[in-house]
Amino acid sequence: MISKRAFDVEFNVNNQEFMIAGKLRPQNEAEIEGLLQEIDKAAAQVRGTFFLNVKRLAYLNSIAFRALGRLIADLAKRRFDMQFVIVTSGVLGWPTRKFSSIAQQSFNVSIAEYDKDFYPGQSFLEDGGFIPILRTQTRLTWRHERGILPKHGLRAGMEIADICCGIGDFAMLMNREFSPARLLALDHSRSSLDYARKVAAEFGMTDIEYVHGDASGIMIDDNSFDFVTCRHSLQIFDRPELIVRELFRICKPGGRVYVTNEKISQCFGEPRGESITAAYAEVADLFAHFKMDLEFGPKSRRALADAGFDDIIIDSFTVANTDGKPEEFAEMVTAWEDVFINEMCRDRGDAPERVAMIQRGLQDHMKAALHPSGYAGWPVWAASGRKPS
Amino acid sequence: MCSERTGAIIEVSMRINDFSSEWMNCDRVSTFMARLVSQKSVDPMFHANLFSTALNELLEVVFFNHGPQGSFTCRVGRVGDVETIEIELPYDEKTLNFYTDVLKTLDRPDVEELYQASLFEAGQVDARLGLLELAVDYKAKMSVLVAADQLTLRAEIALGWVQ
């Protein structure tokens, strides 16, 4: 990384990707001549496809845009045997539209909007139909998380960011329970954020900042928050390390990042345990098909360690039908069934026998939850790490 | 200085020589004002980013094109769904000619082609580039009001259409 300027650059030769992040507002083109030379030099090391990643480039003036555009057009002309892909983010209003004009200049330059093209499972999660699942899940996990969050370092008066906040219910619960000095809740789903704002308004909570954003390219300054949460989200991205890196970046030195993830194949229930176990092994496979790792839970510790955190704490807890009303647990599994069967199995093109087997297992899980002497569970892993001072 | 016409929310004033003494003032003023006017937006970060991007272009044009002495005022506001930006600056004949010529250009039917040409053709950066960008990329409506010692560059931008 190159610092001491308003932007950072990084060239990853293995991914053939040159990343520019931050702010690019020079007074003249000469001011960014060094950057242009770095891009030119990086492109010279690449064969096939060169990725110019600008998804975390928050500001770009027309002087810099002109210089970048001319460089890319020139590279595309000189290296006509290569493809040039400009990776933008849909989180900001201008980049995709703006960079498209560069793509129109050359046959071998194209735009890939990161959010649409890189998250294979995004369509399931951003659909408004996923909201009931998130709401029920949070209600059930909060009984456990409320007690363990202080152990992971959450205190009253902290500045908190809830990344991948979904419908914002966890943020609301933290706001009520831990009275933060600041609480920012970020998600990529506009439908979830709309819901979050509506619910917060209904409860008169005006002090939560709900913002649209991309967890792998968060438009927030380094070292901004004391406590950063990211729940049930590393498991649904195919490159979770990119998100962990961002969580690390926005966390203050000495602050902590808290993540939760599942290992879906370990869902259990009795009676009909075999049917339930077999179904959830298939569900793990189903998510893997869409490049989501619902087995991520126990991998959380390593993910935090690899990102540079220390003092890592990991817990697991089991959401069970005996926690409260068994109907709530069954309601959660019903919501899962709807998405797993009616959307994901359908989109994978599963054979009817396979669909029937998964559906039977999920329904057995519900029955186990509602059975007078049944026991049904959903294990969740909660891990946190401290950013070194 | 607040008026119903501009729906003014905030303004920043300084001597033009102070403003144009440091390039980073464009960034500072646009970032600061964007954050303030975006506070009550549905998505404050999104709105502030977009607003700052547009305002910064206008400020950068003014940085290079203004009269020698006098005061600089940047006023931002909102009328309905339209963001309004007014920049008052001192002017001389050269400055007046620059802005009036650019505004005539923005009315031309081939303004989009002119913008593309100014982006990709060789040579020096076109001094009109920022205003062309606002007109084409942000569909901004721009006008100039001329008083005895001040010229007011006004832009109206409906940022909602990109959201």
Side-chain angles (χ1 to χ4, degrees):
Chain A
M1 289 290 241
I2 295 170
S3 55
K4 294 180 182 173
R5 52 188 185 186
F7 61 93
D8 289 318
V9 301
E10 188 176 271
F11 177 50
N12 184 324
V13 71
N14 295 325
N15 295 338
Q16 306 202 137
E17 182 179 75
F18 192 97
M19 186 271 293
I20 313 172
K23 190 179 277 191
L24 212 48
R25 286 178 167 173
Q27 184 171 359
N28 51 57
E29 294 187 0
E31 228 175 81
I32 55 165
E33 184 56 34
L35 167 68
L36 302 178
Q37 284 175 6
E38 285 179 67
I39 297 171
D40 197 32
K41 201 172 142 191
Q45 297 176 52
V46 168
R47 287 183 182 179
T49 303
F50 178 75
F51 294 93
L52 181 67
N53 181 335
V54 293
K55 70 189 178 72
R56 223 162 55 73
L57 182 60
Y59 297 98
L60 174 71
N61 70 359
S62 56
I63 295 167
F65 178 61
R66 179 180 187 270
L68 270 180
R70 284 164 50 79
L71 172 69
I72 294 162
D74 179 53
L75 277 170
K77 196 173 169 185
R78 280 191 280 134
R79 304 287 306 274
F80 57 84
D81 56 323
M82 280 176 55
Q83 293 295 317
F84 294 84
V85 178
I86 304 171
V87 183
T88 63
S89 166
V91 164
L92 300 178
W94 54 268
T96 302
R97 190 178 74 251
K98 194 169 181 117
F99 279 100
S100 293
S101 66
I102 298 177
Q104 285 163 14
Q105 302 293 313
S106 313
F107 74 92
N108 53 343
V109 177
S110 59
I111 304 293
E113 192 171 273
Y114 189 83
D115 323 302
K116 286 180 185 165
D117 298 347
F118 288 72
Y119 295 155
Q122 202 74 9
S123 57
F124 301 116
L125 308 170
E126 301 218 341
D127 190 311
F130 210 74
I131 286 173
I133 294 187
L134 298 173
R135 193 170 57 185
T136 311
Q137 285 187 177
T138 304
R139 196 165 63 232
L140 296 175
T141 58
W142 180 249
R143 292 186 181 123
H144 300 266
E145 291 184 274
R146 181 185 186 182
I148 66 169
L149 278 164
K151 180 182 162 189
H152 287 268
L154 182 55
R155 303 276 181 274
M158 283 183 157
E159 292 189 301
I160 304 173
D162 185 24
I163 305 302
C164 304
C165 69
I167 57 170
D169 46 357
F170 184 72
M172 282 181 63
L173 291 163
M174 281 197 295
N175 197 38
R176 195 172 61 192
E177 191 77 18
F178 294 95
S179 308
R182 181 189 179 195
L183 179 49
L184 179 141
L186 177 145
D187 200 84
H188 188 263
S189 165
R190 290 193 190 278
S191 62
S192 296
L193 287 171
D194 287 345
Y195 182 91
R197 291 186 185 108
K198 180 172 160 280
V199 174
E202 283 169 4
F203 282 83
M205 284 194 186
T206 55
D207 47 355
I208 302 175
E209 302 166 53
Y210 287 107
V211 297
H212 182 233
D214 172 4
S216 68
I218 304 171
M219 301 293 174
I220 291 172
D221 292 341
D222 299 357
N223 310 321
S224 292
F225 292 94
D226 302 302
F227 198 77
V228 180
T229 60
C230 183
R231 298 168 59 262
H232 301 281
S233 298
L234 301 181
Q235 61 188 24
I236 57 169
F237 294 103
D238 57 342
R239 294 178 66 189
E241 70 280 5
L242 297 182
I243 296 177
V244 180
R245 192 167 76 171
E246 283 293 89
L247 302 177
F248 184 90
R249 185 181 65 75
I250 66 169
C251 183
K252 290 179 187 173
R256 292 189 76 87
V257 166
Y258 168 87
V259 299
T260 63
N261 293 286
E262 301 161 47
K263 185 171 171 67
I264 197 80
S265 66
Q266 293 197 1
C267 279
F268 61 85
E270 286 295 342
R272 303 186 185 179
E274 274 183 32
S275 160
I276 295 166
T277 301
Y280 281 103
E282 280 291 324
V283 169
D285 188 59
L286 178 63
F287 273 79
H289 174 81
F290 294 103
K291 294 188 165 43
M292 294 185 266
D293 182 7
L294 252 66
E295 300 288 90
F296 196 88
K299 301 172 192 170
S300 305
R301 186 176 182 218
R302 182 170 179 182
L304 293 174
D306 287 349
F309 290 97
D310 62 18
D311 189 28
I312 295 168
I313 301 168
I314 185 158
D315 283 307
S316 65
F317 58 85
T318 299
V319 173
N321 62 328
T322 50
D323 289 347
K325 292 180 186 166
E327 291 79 10
E328 286 183 330
F329 191 97
E331 187 188 322
M332 176 180 74
V333 180
T334 305
W336 286 354
E337 182 190 359
D338 184 38
V339 173
F340 298 170
I341 302 296
N342 297 329
E343 295 183 35
M344 299 180 76
C345 285
R346 181 199 62 202
D347 286 8
R348 187 169 63 165
D350 282 357
E353 308 80 55
R354 196 177 193 185
V355 177
M357 189 272 262
I358 298 172
Q359 191 160 26
R360 190 168 50 247
L362 293 169
Q363 288 175 354
D364 285 342
H365 203 199
M366 281 179 252
K367 286 173 187 163
L370 297 171
H371 192 282
S373 54
Y375 184 44
W378 169 47
V380 177
W381 275 257
S384 71
R386 181 180 61 194
K387 181 173 178 176
S389 297
Chain B
M1 295 293 284
C2 294
S3 74
E4 285 180 16
R5 190 174 65 89
T6 60
I9 297 171
I10 185 171
E11 68 178 41
V12 167
S13 292
M14 64 184 91
R15 287 180 304 182
I16 192 73
N17 290 334
D18 289 334
F19 172 69
S20 60
S21 66
E22 200 181 334
W23 177 250
M24 286 308 291
N25 283 337
C26 302
D27 176 63
R28 289 187 190 115
V29 172
S30 63
T31 304
F32 170 71
M33 296 186 93
R35 278 188 186 162
L36 280 174
V37 300
S38 303
Q39 274 180 350
K40 292 194 174 175
S41 300
V42 173
D43 189 334
M45 279 175 57
F46 180 92
H47 188 271
N49 176 273
L50 209 53
F51 190 89
S52 168
T53 301
L55 176 57
N56 183 66
E57 288 301 330
L58 216 51
L59 292 171
E60 289 186 3
V61 171
V62 171
F63 184 91
F64 288 120
N65 302 281
H66 57 78
Q69 290 202 330
S71 66
F72 159 92
T73 298
C74 177
R75 184 180 306 121
V76 300
R78 187 174 300 124
V79 178
D81 294 332
V82 178
E83 316 286 343
T84 61
I85 303 170
E86 286 188 351
I87 301 178
E88 291 175 2
L89 60 146
Y91 70 97
D92 52 17
E93 192 180 344
K94 188 180 161 203
T95 311
L96 180 61
N97 289 340
F98 171 77
Y99 287 108
T100 49
D101 286 351
V102 178
L103 286 183
K104 282 179 198 161
T105 305
L106 301 184
D107 286 337
R108 282 171 48 169
D110 62 344
V111 64
E112 198 154 341
E113 286 78 16
L114 278 172
Y115 172 54
Q116 291 296 324
S118 70
L119 277 177
F120 295 106
E121 283 181 3
Q124 295 292 310
V125 175
D126 188 330
R128 305 170 301 176
L129 181 59
L131 298 180
L132 285 168
E133 175 170 328
L134 287 172
V136 173
D137 215 20
Y138 289 81
K139 298 181 173 40
K141 287 183 186 168
M142 271 175 281
S143 56
V144 168
L145 305 169
V146 183
D149 58 346
Q150 289 276 294
L151 178 152
T152 304
L153 179 61
R154 178 178 163 86
E156 295 178 6
I157 312 173
L159 290 179
W161 69 274
V162 293
Q163 296 190 39

